[in-house]
Amino acid sequence: MLPSATTTQDGTETLDDGASASGGGGEDAASSEEPEVPVRPGAYRAYPINRAPSPETERGATATAIANQSPLDAESQPSVESDHVVVEAYAVEDPEDPPSAVVVDTCFGIERKRLLALVGTGTGAIALVLGCVLGIFLPQSKGSASQQVCGTLCGSNTALPYPNREVFGKSCERWNLESQVDLKTCEDIELYAAAAHGCGCPDVETPQDGCGMLCSDRSEFLPDPQLVVKDIKNQEFSCQDWQLKSLFDKDSQECVNYNAIGVLCRCASNEMHPDACGGICPTGEDFFHSHLHPIWNTACGTWDTFSRYLPIWYNNDDDETCEEYYSDVAHGCVCPVLSDVESECGTLCQQRRTCNPICQDGKSEVPDPDLVVRRETCQAWELHSRLEVHEVVCPFYNMAGAQCGCENEPAPDACGPLCGGASLPDPKKEVYGQTCESWDFMSTYLGPAYGDEPTENPIIKSCEEHFSAISYACGCNDIEPPTEGCGTLCGDGQAIPHPTKVVNARTCQDLEILSLFEKDTKQCTRYEIFGTLCGCPRSDVYEEDCFKLEHLQNETYYFGAGGSVYSVSFGDDGYFAQIQSNGDLFMIGLFNGFDNNTVAMYGGGAPCGLYGPRSGSVSIIEDVLTPESNGPSKSPEITNVIEPSVCVYQAELKVPKLCDSDVLLDQSKVDSGEDV
């Protein structure tokens, strides 16, 4: 409904209702007339729709205007409990150009508002009214031809049937409220009419020339009305809302979109379009990624549906071919046969991409697309930047672009070159899985702001904390480990026997760098364990001709598997456990003695749900092959840990040649699978 404003002889403006604009139906303006509402200059109060105050309150609210009221402190006003949301505003008549008014107000009942500074432009009489209803401002124009609002959603004097129903992501009550305060609510008259119909407004009929039901069999019943799906333009609604939108959409070219949406909403009768591409993969095969794998937050399976049910001319103003149009999606979903990555960002890329091209000048083409940096070609980095959906990662692609030869600028808080401007001694040396050259680009182009989100820890907490150890490992001058660090893995300062051995998902040489710069003394014991696993000499070296099982008492042995470290000990206080990254123990079981002197038993570990407490065993195996091949073994060593069934663990401990008095397992029989 579009109320209009008229001005009386005494200069007072009055409002009256015009015709309803509720889409497919509405009531004639002549069917009801509302009383005139005077609008006077000065300070006065406004109340939310459908929350009229009592007559006594209303009389007080329309009292004589308050002139020259000084600004108030909003925080000093008492928070009076009230059902009314009150706002005070100043209307300025014949102001200077530009006029200005400062409004300080406290809104009771729903929320308190901040101090608002209003600046108007133009000359003549201007009236400003601010409403504090759910954050919506109520504009009125004095002397204008009409009030710029739509009116009530269902028409004058027609109650809203279902105020709490959700339509197009908003409650019907919200639709009705916005309709009365903002003309933009009904700018899309078809969507507005669909909302009125969805909210149950009477006399709002579906047009005969709309696109109709989502399912081609014209069934109004959807398999899953509440299922939320996106279209190719990234609009997202429930299937129920999509059907409502389709009923009122008169654009015949949009009907193909609703046919594809119908398929996503599980309509079985919809047919593929004859002008469709027939699949995102150029050769028609299925893609390697899961159908749920997201590309631009839309599943590969959904993209495949678009390519089969949407004609290639839809949402394709540049007349791209099927291969060009779905090129980035085909690469992201990994089709079996792929052409080269398109050098230019196509239609879908332009609509969906979050990050800029890896070259800051805005050109998608990179100086050398085939150059390999960070184990990817530069053209692949451009593709990754197109498909990235997390804005916080975008600076990383700017850094990769610089490494590819683009003339990009570092982030404002970048840490600077790794060696402070000096040349890297060995750019190709690997530290923590990356070359020193790559680390240099990272420190040069990124800073503490990278990845810094309120809910997560920043990737770079500080330049010194993040890059000092790397600078030291890369051989930069004037970088020394802190004196309070945990020191070398082999406590006596000896070199690591096996620097490239992988322990706890890192090489031993990388673990030593971490140990040198680790200032948390609680972690030092953990690095001592890593030293043992990296081959640092143990204290329990046995020089006797044979090994006795009693030597296992009160000793602890470790095993690294991926990111886990297992600990096995024997004796009264022995246990079998997994050591967490924070140093805590996750108990597999307590030592329960030996079974036939060859298998140590562990039980009563941490609970494992329906499987009861965890348990484990450690088989003691004589390493009879070691003396013949690599010389005598000096210390016992855990060679593997497995979990053959849920929450049941088994480990194997090789020991030097056992004395004849001890029962043993023959390693040769273990390897051959014979009974032992």
Side-chain angles (χ1 to χ4, degrees), residues 346-497:
T347 298
L348 293 177
C349 166
Q350 293 173 20
Q351 292 176 349
R352 298 288 194 108
R353 79 178 303 164
T354 298
C355 299
N356 292 324
I358 63 172
C359 288
Q360 275 186 351
D361 58 9
K363 297 179 181 178
S364 293
E365 295 186 10
V366 296
D368 185 357
D370 298 323
L371 177 66
V372 177
V373 301
R374 297 178 178 272
R375 300 179 176 87
E376 293 270 18
T377 65
C378 291
Q379 192 60 58
W381 279 114
E382 169 60 26
L383 174 65
H384 296 328
S385 75
R386 294 177 189 177
L387 302 182
E388 181 59 62
V389 295
H390 300 99
E391 187 176 1
V392 70
V393 186
C394 294
F396 191 91
Y397 295 105
N398 178 64
M399 173 203 69
Q403 203 165 349
C404 287
C406 302
E407 297 180 0
N408 295 351
E409 294 294 326
D413 68 332
C415 295
L418 194 64
C419 290
S423 299
L424 292 169
D426 186 359
K428 300 303 179 183
K429 180 181 179 181
E430 286 210 359
V431 176
Y432 303 159
Q434 296 188 51
T435 64
C436 291
E437 180 182 48
S438 292
W439 284 117
D440 186 44
F441 272 96
M442 188 172 185
S443 67
T444 301
Y445 280 83
L446 301 180
Y450 176 62
D452 187 8
E453 293 185 323
T455 57
E456 298 180 11
N457 292 325
I459 294 175
I460 303 174
K461 294 181 179 179
S462 71
C463 295
E464 180 181 2
E465 183 176 353
H466 193 83
F467 290 109
S468 291
I470 298 167
S471 299
Y472 175 80
C474 287
C476 298
N477 295 327
D478 302 326
I479 301 293
E480 294 294 334
T483 56
E484 65 271 30
C486 292
T488 59
L489 292 185
C490 297
D492 55 4
Q494 294 181 4
I496 308 169

Side-chain angles (χ1 to χ4, degrees), residues 82-285:
S82 171
D83 291 332
H84 307 305
V85 178
V86 184
V87 62
E88 301 212 1
Y90 291 88
V92 183
E93 190 167 0
D94 296 326
E96 297 178 357
D97 188 10
S100 63
V102 176
V103 178
V104 182
D105 184 38
T106 301
C107 296
F108 304 111
I110 292 184
E111 59 180 288
R112 294 167 66 91
K113 288 292 182 184
R114 299 178 181 176
L115 181 145
L116 302 173
L118 308 178
V119 178
T121 59
T123 59
I126 296 178
L128 296 174
V129 177
L130 295 179
C132 293
V133 184
L134 301 176
I136 298 174
F137 295 99
L138 306 171
Q140 292 182 353
S141 300
K142 183 174 181 181
S144 61
S146 64
Q147 183 187 19
Q148 300 298 299
V149 296
C150 307
T152 56
L153 187 64
C154 292
S156 179
N157 292 334
T158 302
L160 192 64
Y162 306 109
N164 296 323
R165 178 181 290 178
E166 289 281 327
V167 177
F168 301 129
K170 294 187 289 189
S171 69
C172 291
E173 185 176 20
R174 180 77 179 184
W175 272 104
N176 189 46
L177 180 60
E178 292 183 0
S179 176
Q180 297 174 73
V181 300
D182 191 353
L183 184 63
K184 293 181 180 179
T185 308
C186 54
E187 281 183 343
D188 186 340
I189 191 64
E190 291 175 351
L191 185 67
Y192 185 70
H197 182 79
C199 289
C201 295
D203 302 325
V204 181
E205 298 179 357
T206 58
Q208 296 297 317
D209 53 351
C211 290
M213 301 294 180
L214 291 183
C215 298
S216 61
D217 61 5
R218 298 186 179 181
S219 171
E220 62 180 273
F221 299 103
L222 295 167
D224 188 353
Q226 301 306 317
L227 177 66
V228 176
V229 300
K230 292 180 182 179
D231 73 348
I232 200 168
K233 297 178 181 178
N234 210 28
Q235 300 177 98
E236 185 176 70
F237 295 112
S238 68
C239 291
Q240 177 177 272
D241 284 346
W242 275 118
Q243 177 147 289
L244 187 60
K245 197 171 187 294
S246 176
L247 289 170
F248 283 82
D249 198 333
K250 300 179 182 180
D251 187 345
S252 59
Q253 290 197 341
E254 286 296 319
C255 295
V256 295
N257 189 33
Y258 296 114
N259 180 62
I261 292 168
V263 176
L264 298 177
C265 289
R266 302 171 184 169
C267 295
S269 59
N270 295 18
E271 297 181 356
M272 290 186 286
H273 197 281
D275 295 335
C277 296
I280 59 174
C281 294
T283 52
E285 295 98 336

Side-chain angles (χ1 to χ4, degrees), residues 256-595:
V256 295
N257 189 33
Y258 296 114
N259 180 62
I261 292 168
V263 176
L264 298 177
C265 289
R266 302 171 184 169
C267 295
S269 59
N270 295 18
E271 297 181 356
M272 290 186 286
H273 197 281
D275 295 335
C277 296
I280 59 174
C281 294
T283 52
E285 295 98 336
D286 200 4
F287 40 87
F288 287 123
H289 264 312
S290 162
H291 278 235
L292 298 178
H293 180 75
I295 301 297
W296 290 313
N297 289 328
T298 298
C300 288
T302 300
W303 285 113
D304 201 54
T305 297
F306 292 151
S307 71
R308 296 176 188 275
Y309 287 85
L310 285 174
I312 185 57
W313 47 261
Y314 183 79
N315 191 44
N316 185 10
D317 294 337
D318 294 333
D319 295 326
E320 294 175 327
T321 65
C322 288
E323 189 170 351
E324 292 170 338
Y325 190 79
Y326 289 105
S327 173
D328 292 337
V329 175
H331 278 84
C333 296
V334 190
C335 290
V337 179
L338 289 168
S339 57
D340 292 338
V341 176
E342 295 289 334
S343 60
E344 296 294 331
C345 182
T347 298
L348 293 177
C349 166
Q350 293 173 20
Q351 292 176 349
R352 298 288 194 108
R353 79 178 303 164
T354 298
C355 299
N356 292 324
I358 63 172
C359 288
Q360 275 186 351
D361 58 9
K363 297 179 181 178
S364 293
E365 295 186 10
V366 296
D368 185 357
D370 298 323
L371 177 66
V372 177
V373 301
R374 297 178 178 272
R375 300 179 176 87
E376 293 270 18
T377 65
C378 291
Q379 192 60 58
W381 279 114
E382 169 60 26
L383 174 65
H384 296 328
S385 75
R386 294 177 189 177
L387 302 182
E388 181 59 62
V389 295
H390 300 99
E391 187 176 1
V392 70
V393 186
C394 294
F396 191 91
Y397 295 105
N398 178 64
M399 173 203 69
Q403 203 165 349
C404 287
C406 302
E407 297 180 0
N408 295 351
E409 294 294 326
D413 68 332
C415 295
L418 194 64
C419 290
S423 299
L424 292 169
D426 186 359
K428 300 303 179 183
K429 180 181 179 181
E430 286 210 359
V431 176
Y432 303 159
Q434 296 188 51
T435 64
C436 291
E437 180 182 48
S438 292
W439 284 117
D440 186 44
F441 272 96
M442 188 172 185
S443 67
T444 301
Y445 280 83
L446 301 180
Y450 176 62
D452 187 8
E453 293 185 323
T455 57
E456 298 180 11
N457 292 325
I459 294 175
I460 303 174
K461 294 181 179 179
S462 71
C463 295
E464 180 181 2
E465 183 176 353
H466 193 83
F467 290 109
S468 291
I470 298 167
S471 299
Y472 175 80
C474 287
C476 298
N477 295 327
D478 302 326
I479 301 293
E480 294 294 334
T483 56
E484 65 271 30
C486 292
T488 59
L489 292 185
C490 297
D492 55 4
Q494 294 181 4
I496 308 169
H498 308 297
T500 58
K501 181 180 178 181
V502 176
V503 173
N504 200 235
R506 291 185 182 271
T507 63
C508 290
Q509 59 190 5
D510 285 345
L511 287 171
E512 179 152 83
I513 298 299
L514 291 171
S515 178
L516 287 169
F517 284 81
E518 180 58 71
K519 298 179 182 179
D520 184 357
T521 56
K522 295 180 181 179
Q523 295 294 324
C524 293
T525 300
R526 184 173 175 81
Y527 286 108
E528 291 176 7
I529 295 172
F530 293 152
T532 300
L533 296 174
C534 288
C536 295
R538 288 181 58 98
S539 59
D540 56 338
V541 177
Y542 304 99
E543 301 295 342
E544 295 88 346
D545 293 336
C546 61
F547 183 83
K548 296 181 180 180
L549 290 180
E550 63 188 46
H551 292 322
L552 298 177
Q553 301 296 315
N554 302 318
E555 295 291 346
T556 303
Y557 303 93
Y558 301 99
F559 179 77
S564 299
V565 173
Y566 293 91
S567 170
V568 172
S569 57
F570 305 86
D572 294 340
D573 297 325
Y575 56 81
F576 188 177
Q578 185 180 22
I579 303 176
Q580 306 295 306
S581 58
N582 61 1
D584 292 341
L585 291 179
F586 188 78
M587 192 62 67
I588 294 173
L590 301 176
F591 179 69
N592 284 335
F594 285 95
D595 179 14

